[in-house]
Amino acid sequence: MIKSTERDLAAERMDKIANILRDRRIARVSEMARILGASEASVRRDLVEMERRGLLRRVHGGAVAVGGIGDEPVFDDKTAMAVREKQRIAEAALAFVKNGDFIYLDGGSTVLALARMLTDRPRITVATNSLRVAQTFAASGPRTILVGGELRRISQTFVGCLSRPLLEKIHFDTAFMGTVGVTTDGMTTTDPAEADTKTLVMGRAARVILLADSRKIGAVSFVSAGALDLVDVIITDSAAPRKQIDAFRKKGVRVLAV
């Protein structure tokens, strides 16, 4: 119980630190400790964890914000972030796949971790707009349908109006989706064309499962990529803020924190 309380307090502090840096872009440890009413040692521990998640960059005596709501790491950088968390999330998602399913795999790095676990599952069909997922199944694995469109190099996905004709003709048992951020208002991402493709896919699926490590929980990006009521299940890691998880559950979304 004590550990759970400490984790919740740390998550609350980190939310406030993120807000401070969003407003000021740079802040000293002493300044943040004063605003938060916390010790400088606690703030430093929070900064270490937040830097590990890619949420800020530590500098001597403080921290600076990284990017803005329209910024997005290139795909290979994303795959190197929160690797253990993404692996656990993908392992939990695997339980939702059964033989005979027709599933959709989105272009997120956590979804790619799931794809790598499906190379010995020839009795499912996968549709994907992810170039990296398609390459994963090039030698073995499920029957694969690659959704075409305009290649968005930063995310290694095919998106936009040219993706729509195929997606409008097919249905999915389950869509496994990624996101840049998710709140009770829904999902957000950095690119309108990618957002449009994501929203269309979720409307074609009987069940939508969002794979989002704790860095994404409560984060907000540039453009809406689907309302929360499109999502049936969120799988995240155990560092996700408890308040956000409770808020999702109150909205009727099943949340697994692994």
Side-chain angles (χ1 to χ4, degrees):
M1 183 67 69
I2 293 175
K3 289 184 178 179
S4 177
T5 301
E6 289 174 352
R7 186 169 59 244
D8 290 345
L9 289 173
E12 186 174 348
R13 284 196 307 271
M14 285 189 277
D15 282 344
K16 291 178 180 178
I17 289 170
N19 289 334
I20 292 169
L21 292 177
R22 191 175 298 123
D23 293 338
R24 307 185 184 196
R25 305 297 297 168
I26 185 168
R28 298 185 63 81
V29 169
S30 57
E31 180 183 19
M32 289 185 279
R34 177 180 56 80
I35 294 170
L36 297 173
S39 69
E40 292 189 12
S42 293
V43 171
R44 289 192 185 96
R45 285 195 298 271
D46 295 339
L47 296 181
V48 169
E49 174 63 16
M50 293 177 75
E51 183 176 55
R52 186 188 70 80
R53 299 187 198 178
L55 300 175
L56 53 77
R57 180 167 57 87
R58 288 186 297 152
V59 295
H60 181 68
V64 296
V66 290
I69 62 172
D71 291 332
E72 177 182 354
V74 297
F75 191 84
D76 288 337
D77 287 347
K78 286 193 287 188
T79 59
M81 297 175 181
V83 175
R84 287 177 297 178
E85 291 85 350
K86 291 175 181 178
Q87 186 72 11
R88 291 199 300 269
I89 292 168
E91 289 170 355
L94 190 62
F96 290 88
V97 180
K98 65 181 187 297
N99 286 336
D101 276 356
F102 192 162
I103 68 173
Y104 183 88
L105 297 181
D106 187 40
S109 55
T110 311
V111 178
L112 178 60
L114 171 61
R116 289 169 175 161
M117 298 176 184
L118 296 174
T119 55
D120 62 347
R121 301 287 290 273
R123 294 174 60 191
I124 62 174
T125 298
V126 171
T128 184
N129 71 327
S130 168
L131 181 60
R132 295 300 179 86
V133 169
Q135 289 171 333
T136 298
F137 297 144
S140 65
R143 175 193 181 201
T144 303
I145 298 169
L146 180 60
V147 176
E150 180 181 353
L151 176 61
R152 185 169 180 258
R153 290 184 176 86
I154 192 169
S155 61
Q156 295 287 284
T157 53
F158 294 94
V159 299
C161 62
L162 295 177
S163 303
R164 183 171 287 272
L166 175 61
L167 289 173
E168 287 180 335
K169 292 179 180 178
I170 52 182
H171 300 270
F172 311 105
D173 294 303
T174 306
F176 294 93
M177 308 299 296
T179 188
V180 173
V182 58
T183 68
T184 52
D185 291 329
M187 292 146 289
T188 51
T189 190
T190 58
D191 181 75
E194 184 122 39
D196 184 64
T197 300
K198 286 175 179 288
T199 304
L200 176 58
V201 166
M202 290 187 285
R204 308 295 292 177
R207 177 175 62 183
V208 174
I209 300 178
L210 182 66
L211 310 185
D213 66 75
S214 56
R215 297 172 304 125
K216 314 293 182 62
I217 306 300
V220 177
S221 189
F222 173 58
V223 62
S224 173
L228 189 66
D229 61 10
L230 291 172
V231 178
D232 299 287
V233 182
I234 295 175
I235 306 179
T236 186
D237 60 80
S238 58
R242 184 66 55 83
K243 287 184 178 179
Q244 284 285 345
I245 290 176
D246 290 343
F248 292 145
R249 287 172 174 160
K250 287 179 180 177
K251 292 280 188 177
V253 179
R254 180 183 178 191
V255 182
L256 303 178
V258 297

